[in-house]
Amino acid sequence: MLGKQSGQMGFGDLEAMGRLPEGHFLKNIDGHIDWRPFEKILEPLYHPKLGRPSHPPLVMFKALLLQQWYGLSDPGLEEAICDRLSFQRFLGLSFADPVPDETRICRFRTMLAQAGLGERLFALLEEQLDAKGMIVRRGSLIDATLIKAQPHPPRRGEPSPDPEADWTRRGKDGHFGYKVHLTVDQGSGLIRRLALTSAGTSESNLFEEMVIGDEAAVFADGAYAKDARKKAMRGRGVFCGIINRPWRYRPITEQQKRRNKFYARVRRAVARVIGTLKCRYGLARCRYIGGGRNRCHHWLVGICYNLRKMLVLQGST
């Protein structure tokens, strides 16, 4: 068990931890993930024993995961760790170990964003999920969604409070913020790629980046449609499930309309993932100002989503 000082459990700790049911959500995650590779990546952030005493980086990282799963603020997370045995067990803290306070939680999140480790941690989790045989590779479902910036958009003539956010138009409405691009594994529903750009970035520009390269098919909406792109995919033996859309002098055929209906049914899975991220993990609006911290937050959300999905696929929830 990891802890800030002793890291050792007393009889009272063991008695209390024994009261947690075997099927507890956090207990199941701890039993299915090898945290040692995560600890190795996080170690360079700071030394927990040099300078001012601090909690090990892995403890702080797992605290950020708890924050996403349970929708807590920094002060709320500190209070919940004090209150909940399940949180203390997940973090490896004994009753004698001090709890990370809200200031240290905030500072660690900033350090994690500045180090740009979110993508590496996400990829590390994907390796473990792949080793468990959970990634199907039947197909990749690619899509993008708009996320409102934090705080509210500037008025005309005012400087932007978030210089990396941007304006775009969706239908008749203007939108100020970011755009989240994601790739979902067909069959498992796991997220395999994530990217955060300004709202004005065309999703078509990130298509090649969002294609994994090991999938048997790719499904995407009409925003990604390009004849050369479809031809290149078919040339690699990849089934092209990009929605057909009419051009100025070239309406789509009845056969293409039937294909579109089939592609749309397959693509429902990525829409469900986006809905979950927005409703359960609060991605309808960015939590922070600035692309760096928001990207870190989105990688954390992707890790949390895949960990929960892992339990669903294993029937452990």
Side-chain angles (χ1 to χ4, degrees):
M1 289 290 185
L2 291 170
K4 178 181 174 185
Q5 294 175 341
S6 66
Q8 297 181 355
M9 296 290 176
F11 290 113
D13 296 299
L14 296 175
E15 172 65 24
M17 299 305 177
R19 297 179 184 178
L20 294 177
E22 286 301 321
H24 193 280
F25 167 66
L26 296 177
K27 214 171 186 179
N28 282 336
I29 286 180
D30 240 1
H32 286 97
I33 293 298
D34 180 8
W35 295 108
R36 289 171 297 181
F38 291 87
E39 185 177 23
K40 187 174 181 179
I41 289 179
L42 293 166
E43 273 180 354
L45 286 178
Y46 62 86
H47 197 291
K49 295 181 180 179
L50 296 179
R52 292 185 60 189
S54 184
H55 295 83
L58 181 61
V59 172
M60 302 302 295
F61 170 68
K62 293 172 78 173
L64 294 184
L65 300 184
L66 290 173
Q67 186 174 46
Q68 303 307 320
W69 281 317
Y70 293 91
L72 299 169
S73 63
D74 290 351
L77 177 59
E78 178 186 351
E79 182 179 345
I81 295 173
C82 291
D83 284 348
R84 300 191 184 187
L85 290 173
S86 58
F87 281 26
Q88 293 174 22
R89 184 191 186 282
F90 184 70
L91 298 179
L93 297 175
S94 71
F95 291 153
D97 292 326
V99 168
D101 60 48
E102 59 178 290
T103 302
R104 286 176 177 169
I105 293 168
C106 180
R107 286 176 179 171
F108 179 81
R109 186 191 302 109
T110 301
M111 292 173 61
L112 190 63
Q114 291 175 345
L117 295 180
E119 186 173 3
R120 290 180 60 192
L121 295 167
F122 182 88
L124 187 57
L125 175 61
E126 183 180 19
E127 290 178 10
Q128 295 200 28
L129 296 176
D130 192 20
K132 296 176 183 291
M134 292 186 177
I135 298 177
V136 181
R137 293 186 175 83
R138 184 191 310 163
S140 289
L141 314 178
I142 299 175
D143 206 351
T145 185
L146 293 171
I147 307 294
K148 294 180 181 179
Q150 183 69 255
H152 298 292
R155 296 179 181 178
R156 180 174 294 181
E158 293 182 351
S160 171
D162 189 340
E164 295 193 50
D166 195 6
W167 281 100
T168 189
R169 183 168 293 278
R170 179 61 58 91
K172 295 182 179 179
D173 299 325
H175 176 93
F176 178 75
Y178 292 86
K179 185 177 290 184
V180 173
H181 310 255
L182 69 163
T183 303
V184 174
D185 184 50
Q186 183 188 5
S188 69
L190 292 165
I191 299 174
R192 298 196 65 192
R193 285 278 168 86
L194 267 174
L196 183 74
T197 65
S198 63
T201 302
S202 171
E203 47 261 51
S204 181
N205 293 342
L206 270 76
F207 179 81
E208 280 72 24
E209 180 181 333
M210 303 310 292
V211 173
I212 309 298
D214 58 6
E215 60 274 272
V218 173
F219 295 88
D221 65 24
Y224 300 91
K226 286 185 178 180
D227 289 343
R229 179 173 287 160
K230 293 180 179 181
K231 183 178 179 180
M233 290 176 56
R234 290 166 181 152
R236 299 197 307 267
V238 178
F239 179 83
C240 182
I242 299 178
I243 295 289
N244 299 287
R245 65 178 184 179
W247 300 99
R248 182 176 296 178
Y249 303 110
R250 190 180 65 182
I252 60 175
T253 65
E254 290 300 319
Q255 184 181 23
Q256 288 176 322
K257 289 180 181 179
R258 290 193 295 270
R259 288 178 180 172
N260 283 352
K261 289 182 178 179
F262 169 70
Y263 299 159
R265 287 197 299 269
V266 175
R267 289 186 60 255
R268 288 174 188 168
V270 69
R272 288 194 293 269
V273 174
I274 290 174
T276 300
L277 295 180
K278 288 193 171 185
C279 295
R280 177 171 288 183
Y281 294 99
L283 286 196
R285 179 181 290 275
C286 288
R287 182 170 289 186
Y288 308 102
I289 296 176
R293 288 197 293 177
N294 280 316
R295 286 186 186 90
C296 179
H297 175 237
H298 284 70
W299 285 117
L300 287 171
V301 167
I303 291 170
C304 287
Y305 173 88
N306 278 353
L307 284 170
R308 184 180 286 272
K309 191 68 177 179
M310 171 193 71
L311 296 188
V312 173
L313 295 173
Q314 291 188 333
S316 302
T317 55

